[in-house]
Amino acid sequence: MPRDKKILIEGEGLHGAARVQAMCAVALSVLLALLDYAIANVALPTIGADLHISAASAVWIINSYQLASVIALLPTAALGARIGFGRLCQIGLVLFIVSSLFCGLSHSLLALSLSRAVQGIGGACIMSVSIALIRFIYPHEIIGRGIALNGVMVALGVGAGPTVASVILSVATWPWLFYINIPLGLAALVLALMSLPRTPTQKGTFDGASAVLNALAFGAIILAGDSIAHHASTLQVCAFALTGVVSGWLLVRRQKGQAHPMFPVDMLRIPPFRTGVSIGFLAFVSSNLFMVSFPFTLQNLFHCPPAVVGLLMTPWPVGIMLVAPVISRLSDQVPATILSSIGLFTTSMGFLALYMLPAAPHWFDIVWRVGLAGMGFGIFQPPNNRIMMVTAPAGRSGSASGMVQVSRQCGQATGAMLVAMTFGLIAWQPSMRCLQFACVVAFLGMLLSASRLFSGQEEQA
């Protein structure tokens, strides 16, 4: 590791080529983790047919990644604070590369699901410390630029997944969806080894009991929601829900009074941080209500060919990327509450415009509306994340970064479950009902964001 392994201080940042190289390492790592999550969705029917499994069983190829990632986010963030954020990112990349190889070599649902779970843990290692690393890579006064670039990578990974998958499947078999991670992962790993800064570490041992309680709490609650979405028995739903609630209660009790808790209950007492987490959760519920359901609207209601569906979803990440250069500078100059509120209002209006599409829309009618919603999300996300990171206490970057990702992942999981419930309970145009819900949830997020202007939280941020 260059620069004589100097331990950086939060807010000091890197400069010149060192900052560019380190940020490229973080950006490529984040893109890799999220692209692989999104890329497998398109291939589920193909993988299911090849492995001779039902569509319901094939969903576990996605669920295993998401479940492992969610339950690992806070434990890996805590681990990163003890061994160094850069080192944990490197470990995550190694796990991701190796598990991608085993995914491609898998010949059964069990083997593929287990390999995907390891991928999810590798992805959690990367995502849980990505924003914490940005806090060390960028000086405090321009940290918004790094957070904005990270938001672009998140959007690009999630939004470009379907298009990339379609391209790969048109020329190769489904294992190449995972083999492609190997050269990309190796490139990211070399960059990470060469350029990621050495960060301060916290003393103390890893709290294994809290990690188990965290896994039970988040895992059981997600499984309870998934059981509701798939019309499981009341007994099964209640069992999962009770396990999750009791484990969560025990986790919170165990974390109280700890200097560096794995689940940062103390940080949730900071109003700007708590509000930022809540707004992030609502925003990603809204975005996934749209992302998961709208392809069904395009294909079933507007009769778009499957190949066109991915292209018509592309304006979402494109919209985020278009506003990124402006927001990266404004987020360090304009009050974050104003920007995030404008962003969620714009996203909400974009979803409303999509709901009001004519019965036989021209492709441009769809493109500008999806792009508008994406631009709004691009305006919202960096300022809201910035509030969470700058209001976190000194030395708690790992916990703050982990909670940013928890709000995102839990919001995405909740949005996907709400789509499944809507499709199961509503017979008439359920995908359009999902757009209505997405519009309402984004608007509620905007109201919560704007409330910071009147509660004094903006001054604290």
Side-chain angles (χ1 to χ4, degrees):
M1 200 174 293
R3 298 180 303 280
D4 65 12
K5 296 186 178 181
K6 173 189 173 185
I7 298 178
L8 288 184
I9 301 171
E10 270 186 37
E12 178 184 358
L14 300 173
H15 301 277
R19 183 198 300 161
V20 173
Q21 292 171 8
M23 192 60 213
C24 284
V26 173
L28 184 55
S29 301
V30 168
L31 178 63
L32 185 68
L34 287 169
L35 185 65
D36 195 76
Y37 166 72
I39 210 172
N41 294 355
V42 175
L44 281 186
T46 303
I47 298 174
D50 190 58
L51 297 180
H52 307 291
I53 56 177
S54 66
S57 298
V59 172
W60 273 102
I61 299 169
I62 302 299
N63 287 352
S64 58
Y65 184 101
Q66 181 164 299
L67 188 60
S69 181
V70 169
I71 66 179
L73 278 170
L74 290 178
T76 53
L79 183 61
R82 284 164 174 77
I83 68 173
F85 301 133
R87 181 176 296 177
L88 185 69
C89 182
Q90 293 156 8
I91 291 172
L93 286 167
V94 171
L95 284 175
F96 206 88
I97 293 166
V98 174
S99 58
S100 293
L101 175 62
F102 281 97
C103 282
L105 296 174
S106 296
H107 297 290
S108 69
L109 175 63
L110 177 61
L112 182 54
S113 296
L114 289 175
S115 299
R116 288 282 288 169
V118 176
Q119 263 193 329
I121 296 171
C125 290
I126 295 167
M127 298 302 298
S128 64
V129 299
S130 60
I131 298 183
L133 279 167
I134 291 170
R135 196 168 173 174
F136 286 90
I137 293 171
Y138 281 80
H140 178 81
E141 60 272 13
I142 58 170
I143 191 174
R145 299 183 187 183
I147 293 175
L149 180 56
N150 186 74
V152 170
M153 293 299 105
V154 171
L156 186 60
V158 174
T163 303
V164 173
S166 298
V167 171
I168 292 175
L169 290 175
S170 67
V171 297
T173 55
W174 67 262
W176 283 97
L177 296 174
F178 304 107
Y179 291 148
I180 195 68
N181 294 331
I182 297 174
L184 293 176
L186 288 172
L189 181 59
V190 170
L191 268 175
L193 289 169
M194 291 175 57
S195 61
L196 288 184
R198 186 179 176 191
T199 58
T201 56
Q202 296 172 356
K203 295 180 180 179
T205 57
F206 184 74
D207 189 353
S210 292
V212 172
L213 288 172
N214 172 84
L216 287 172
F218 282 99
I221 289 173
I222 289 174
L223 289 173
D226 185 72
S227 299
I228 294 173
H230 292 89
H231 310 289
S233 66
T234 303
L235 179 61
Q236 178 179 322
V237 173
C238 291
F240 279 132
L242 184 61
T243 300
V245 170
V246 172
S247 299
W249 178 73
L250 291 172
L251 176 64
V252 170
R253 281 183 59 87
R254 183 177 178 85
Q255 299 294 284
K256 283 183 177 178
Q258 292 191 14
H260 299 285
M262 180 178 296
F263 184 73
V265 290
D266 58 327
M267 290 170 60
L268 292 175
R269 298 191 187 100
I270 303 171
F273 187 85
R274 181 178 63 245
T275 305
V277 170
S278 302
I279 295 168
F281 172 78
L282 290 174
F284 279 101
V285 169
S286 174
S287 69
N288 243 33
L289 275 166
F290 159 71
M291 293 290 291
V292 176
S293 70
F294 197 60
F296 290 94
T297 301
L298 293 173
Q299 193 162 347
N300 299 336
L301 194 61
F302 299 145
H303 309 293
C304 297
V308 175
V309 170
L311 294 176
L312 291 177
M313 295 293 291
T314 303
W316 173 270
V318 169
I320 294 176
M321 287 185 286
L322 284 175
V323 300
V326 178
I327 296 303
S328 67
R329 287 166 173 77
L330 288 181
S331 59
D332 292 313
Q333 302 169 15
V334 179
T337 292
I338 293 176
L339 289 176
S340 60
S341 301
I342 291 173
L344 280 181
F345 179 77
T346 304
T347 296
S348 178
M349 293 302 99
F351 291 154
L352 179 61
L354 285 168
Y355 176 73
M356 298 175 68
L357 276 167
H362 187 268
W363 65 267
F364 181 74
D365 295 329
I366 299 171
V367 165
W368 77 258
R369 288 167 166 87
V370 174
L372 178 67
M375 291 173 69
F377 206 82
I379 295 170
F380 146 77
Q381 194 178 1
N384 191 67
N385 288 350
R386 185 185 186 281
I387 286 180
M388 294 170 64
M389 294 306 298
V390 301
T391 56
R396 302 293 301 281
S397 294
S399 295
S401 181
M403 285 302 294
V404 169
Q405 302 307 328
V406 165
S407 68
R408 177 184 65 82
Q409 293 252 23
C410 288
Q412 288 177 330
T414 302
M417 287 187 291
L418 289 174
V419 171
M421 291 173 64
T422 303
F423 275 63
L425 297 174
I426 298 177
W428 174 251
Q429 295 185 353
S431 60
M432 296 301 285
R433 301 288 85 76
C434 288
L435 267 180
Q436 285 181 307
F437 299 152
C439 176
V440 171
V441 174
F443 194 79
L444 291 174
M446 181 275 294
L447 292 177
L448 182 57
S449 177
S451 72
R452 293 181 289 200
L453 290 170
F454 309 101
S455 62
Q457 292 185 32
E458 183 63 49
E459 285 75 14
Q460 298 178 52

